[in-house]
């Protein structure tokens, strides 16, 4: 009997309409509560069809996330308006273009769009451009503020002859601020989407583990991942897969994915698919031959301990800087007990030296949602403190946010090698011990975490214990 390509045992994707009206209402409420206009219109345009330079084919379409948040509509060339006072949402979709139908088939019709999306009224964009009554009605019934996003809306529309008499005021701050703040806190539908993306990605990661022994090149494992996501209903990747063998894993966002596996110890794969615009972001690291070396296992267990201790702290109200600092503290203690860092120094002294940023240079995690590095984190890339400079989320985590927990330890020659040659870490790093760890490359373990009152839930289902990892590789 031949095996099916897609896995029939994976759960069905969540059903139900994307809750666009509830999102629009929440955004309007947030704007009003935070000192913005209490009435007016939020006007957004979705992503347009864009052509490849010097070619007649369209580039890959990716809907603007702020637009999707208020519409659930994944079509190009659409517009949307929300009348705050009337709680009325209107979507304009492209009209039927008979010439285009021959090439691309029938587009969605307004009636079908009304059935598919959680939207009050659907019209076509030709009617909008003509300044027809669907838009005139919106801006004539009130002393209107149009809240739009700068450079993402053709505002000539509101200055057109037919609408000029209403003299709408244009605001470019509140729509973006409101949507970005609201997107941090997910509702049940969004959590279900992220969970489903995680289930499919986790399955694809399991298939990677089972395929390693037959692979000869990083690119084959990249392909295995994408194949299983696509075959199981997740066509889009949330970001470019990082499939890094051996010392390539010390490059955080390695993108080449084309090196032979022969002679290398470990593979780090950071890969996640999207489901209906919602992302997953998962990293696993494993020994290519199914057995960790002593040094690789030590580093793997240290990273797992960093992740586990941080997981124990994640709950609504926790300050993300404190969780990130915990990861550095565990790293400091672990690297000292391995002898890579001096046993003569206290944990406090090691942390004060900032040497852990040479081994764990990135932030512990970022919000996850419709973007992999999701909006709303308030990062401070100008922070003079190296330990917090790349932390993509600052401040306290709200309930129902989703955040990645992704500690790592990397043996990255740049800039460490030069610094060692210059004597910078003479009192801190034992170079003879470090020498044994360079070929571990890098270990990262990354899961996607739903933040709750009093605790959290891990949405990532592929396991990460070292015994499981070795067995999964060995059992194929
Ligand atoms: N996949 C990129 C990251 O983990 O941030
Ligand atoms: Mn991540
Ligand atoms: Mn990642």
């Amino acid at each position: 009997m031949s095996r099916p390509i897609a896995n029939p045992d994976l759960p069905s994707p969540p059903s139900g309409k994307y809750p666009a009206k509830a999102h629009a209402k929440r955004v309007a409420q947030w704007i009003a509560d935070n000192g913005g206009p209490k009435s007016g219109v939020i006007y957004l345009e979705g992503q347009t069809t864009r052509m490849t330079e010097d070619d007649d084919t369209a580039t890959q379409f990716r809907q603007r996330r702020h637009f999707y948040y208020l519409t659930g509509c994944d079509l190009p060339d659409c517009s949307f308006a929300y009348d705050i006072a009337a709680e009325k949402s209107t979507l304009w979709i492209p009209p039927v273009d008979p010439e285009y139908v021959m090439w691309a088939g029938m587009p969605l019709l307004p009636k079908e769009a009304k059935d598919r999306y959680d939207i009050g009224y659907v019209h076509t964009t030709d009617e909008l451009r003509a300044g027809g009554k669907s838009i005139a009605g919106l801006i004539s019934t009130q002393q209107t503020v149009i809240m739009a996003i700068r450079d993402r809306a053709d505002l000539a529309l509101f200055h057109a002859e037919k609408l000029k008499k209403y003299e709408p005021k244009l605001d470019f701050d509140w729509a973006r601020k409101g949507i970005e703040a609201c997107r941090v806190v997910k509702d049940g539908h969004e959590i279900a989407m992220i969970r489903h993306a995680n289930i499919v990605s986790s399955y694809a990661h399991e298939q990677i583990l089972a395929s390693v022994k037959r692979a000869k090149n990083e690119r084959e494992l990249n392909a295995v991942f994408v194949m299983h996501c696509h075959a199981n209903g997740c066509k889009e990747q949330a970001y470019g897969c990082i499939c890094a063998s051996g010392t390539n894993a010390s490059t955080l966002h390695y993108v080449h994915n084309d090196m032979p596996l022969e002679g290398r110890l470990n593979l780090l794969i950071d890969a996640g698919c999207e489901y209906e615009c919602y992302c997953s972001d998962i990293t696993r690291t494993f020994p290519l031959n199914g057995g960790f070396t002593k040094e690789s296992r030590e580093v793997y267990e240290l990273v797992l301990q960093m992740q586990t201790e941080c997981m124990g702290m994640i709950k609504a109200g926790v300050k993300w800087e404190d969780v990130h600092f915990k990861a550095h503290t565990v790293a400091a203690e672990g690297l000292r007990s391995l002898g890579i860092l001096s046993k003569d120094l206290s944990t406090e002294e090691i942390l004060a030296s900032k040497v852990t940023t040479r081994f764990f240079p990135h932030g512990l995690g970022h919000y996850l949602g419709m973007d992999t590095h999701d909006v709303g984190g308030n990062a401070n890339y100008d922070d003079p403190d190296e330990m917090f400079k790349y932390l993509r989320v600052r401040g306290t985590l709200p309930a129902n946010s989703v955040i990645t927990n992704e500690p790592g330890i990397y043996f990255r020659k740049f800039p460490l090698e030069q610094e060692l040659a210059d004597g910078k870490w003479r009192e801190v790093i034992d170079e003879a011990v470090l020498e044994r760890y360079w070929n571990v490359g890098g270990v990262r373990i990354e899961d996607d975490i739903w933040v709750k009152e009093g605790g959290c839930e891990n949405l990532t289902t592929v396991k990460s214990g070292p015994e499981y990892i070795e067995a999964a590789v060995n059992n194929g």
Side-chain angles (χ1 to χ4, degrees):
M1 200 179 77
S2 63
R3 281 197 352 228
I5 290 176
N7 181 355
D9 297 329
L10 291 184
S12 305
S15 55
K17 271 190 192 180
Y18 186 82
K21 283 183 188 161
H23 288 179
K25 199 169 166 177
R26 250 184 82 203
V27 169
Q29 190 64 52
W30 188 95
I31 292 170
D33 291 348
N34 286 276
K38 294 189 170 22
S39 70
V41 172
I42 298 172
Y43 175 77
L44 300 179
E45 287 177 9
Q47 187 55 269
T48 53
T49 301
R50 287 182 296 176
M51 304 311 283
T52 307
E53 205 167 67
D54 300 328
D55 187 43
D56 67 355
T57 51
T59 58
Q60 189 178 353
F61 177 73
R62 184 177 190 268
Q63 184 57 285
R64 285 176 170 155
R65 281 6 198 178
H66 289 355
F67 185 86
Y68 192 82
Y69 189 65
L70 297 192
T71 62
C73 169
D74 200 15
L75 304 176
D77 306 312
C78 295
S79 292
F80 168 80
Y82 182 68
D83 177 338
I84 293 175
E87 296 184 8
K88 176 180 155 184
S89 59
T90 307
L91 176 70
W92 291 272
I93 62 174
V96 178
D97 173 351
E99 291 216 24
Y100 187 66
V101 172
M102 181 173 82
W103 299 101
M106 273 300 282
L108 201 70
L109 300 173
K111 185 186 167 322
E112 294 164 331
K114 177 107 171 51
D115 290 344
R116 182 181 298 181
Y117 307 126
D118 184 26
I119 294 284
Y121 301 86
V122 180
H123 303 283
T124 51
T125 46
D126 50 349
E127 194 268 351
L128 171 70
R129 299 282 154 216
K133 63 179 189 307
S134 60
I135 186 74
L138 271 179
I139 66 169
S140 65
T141 52
Q142 46 199 305
Q143 60 313 354
T144 295
V145 180
I146 308 284
M147 288 175 261
I149 297 180
R150 193 178 291 282
D151 301 329
R152 294 203 187 165
D154 173 10
L155 299 168
L157 177 72
F158 298 103
H159 299 298
E161 212 47 45
K162 282 190 177 166
L163 301 181
K164 218 157 63 183
K165 60 185 177 207
Y166 305 117
E167 293 182 345
K169 288 194 283 292
L170 294 171
D171 168 87
F172 298 111
D173 285 332
W174 286 105
R176 181 189 285 280
K177 275 202 281 198
I179 294 170
E180 291 190 352
C182 290
R183 276 179 55 185
V184 172
V185 176
K186 274 70 181 175
D187 58 33
H189 189 88
E190 295 180 284
I191 295 285
M193 296 287 153
I194 299 171
R195 188 193 291 282
H196 190 72
N198 262 277
I199 288 170
V200 174
S201 288
S202 291
Y203 173 70
H205 271 277
E206 288 161 7
Q207 297 309 303
I208 295 276
L209 292 168
S211 308
V212 173
K213 288 212 167 167
R214 283 171 284 138
K216 298 239 172 312
N217 191 292
E218 292 167 352
R219 68 172 80 95
E220 295 167 50
L221 298 171
N222 187 160
V224 168
F225 187 85
V226 174
M227 189 276 260
H228 284 287
C229 292
H230 197 160
N232 286 289
C234 294
K235 186 176 168 202
E236 307 299 343
Q237 295 291 300
Y239 52 93
C241 175
I242 298 164
C243 195
S245 59
T247 53
N248 296 334
S250 67
T251 300
L252 301 180
H253 285 173
Y254 173 79
V255 292
H256 306 298
N257 302 351
D258 61 358
M259 293 300 285
L261 303 177
E262 175 129 30
R264 293 165 188 268
L265 280 186
N266 303 314
L267 189 108
L268 180 155
I269 177 157
D270 181 344
C273 64
E274 277 180 20
Y275 183 69
E276 298 203 343
C277 295
Y278 281 84
C279 300
S280 55
D281 182 6
I282 302 173
T283 308
R284 290 293 178 265
T285 310
F286 49 85
L288 285 161
N289 70 359
F292 284 110
T293 62
K294 176 177 169 294
E295 286 78 14
S296 289
R297 178 138 184 161
E298 287 166 349
V299 176
Y300 191 88
E301 287 181 349
L302 173 55
V303 175
L304 197 55
Q305 190 193 348
M306 290 161 74
Q307 198 201 37
T308 307
E309 295 207 18
C310 291
M311 205 79 89
M313 293 175 73
I314 299 177
K315 61 179 177 187
V318 74
K319 200 167 164 212
W320 192 237
E321 287 91 332
D322 293 345
V323 189
H324 177 72
F325 190 74
K326 166 61 88 175
H328 274 276
T329 307
V330 176
E333 287 168 354
L335 291 170
R336 185 183 48 200
S337 73
L338 293 180
I340 295 172
L341 300 183
S342 169
K343 293 192 174 161
D344 296 336
L345 297 176
S346 68
T347 307
E348 290 68 31
E349 285 167 328
I350 291 173
L351 289 168
S353 77
K354 308 291 175 189
V355 70
T356 52
T357 66
R358 290 295 175 270
F359 298 96
F360 173 36
H362 57 79
L364 178 65
H366 47 84
Y367 286 137
L368 181 81
M370 283 190 282
D371 289 305
T372 306
H373 296 161
D374 212 22
V375 291
N378 299 315
N380 177 11
Y381 300 118
D382 295 325
D383 193 328
D385 187 335
E386 286 177 79
M387 194 180 280
F388 296 97
K389 185 173 169 175
Y390 297 113
L391 194 55
R392 286 193 164 93
V393 172
R394 305 298 294 260
T396 56
L397 307 184
N400 296 317
S401 54
V402 176
I403 196 156
T404 63
N405 181 3
E406 52 172 309
I409 293 285
Y410 309 86
F411 297 90
R412 212 165 42 101
K413 293 209 163 165
F414 182 86
L416 192 49
E417 217 169 30
Q418 187 58 50
E419 290 176 347
L420 289 168
D422 295 344
K424 177 167 180 185
W425 304 109
R426 194 170 294 126
E427 312 297 321
V428 185
I429 293 178
D430 185 327
E431 285 188 58
V433 179
L434 176 63
E435 199 56 37
R436 303 203 313 265
Y437 289 84
W438 287 117
N439 66 352
V440 173
V443 172
R444 177 161 69 252
I445 306 172
E446 176 175 26
D447 291 339
D448 301 341
I449 314 300
W450 175 11
V451 180
K452 299 182 176 182
E453 297 292 352
C456 64
E457 181 179 333
N458 190 344
L459 298 173
T460 302
T461 52
V462 54
K463 291 184 255 172
S464 54
E467 285 76 21
Y468 163 77
I469 292 284
E470 286 185 336
V473 173
N474 286 321
N475 298 339

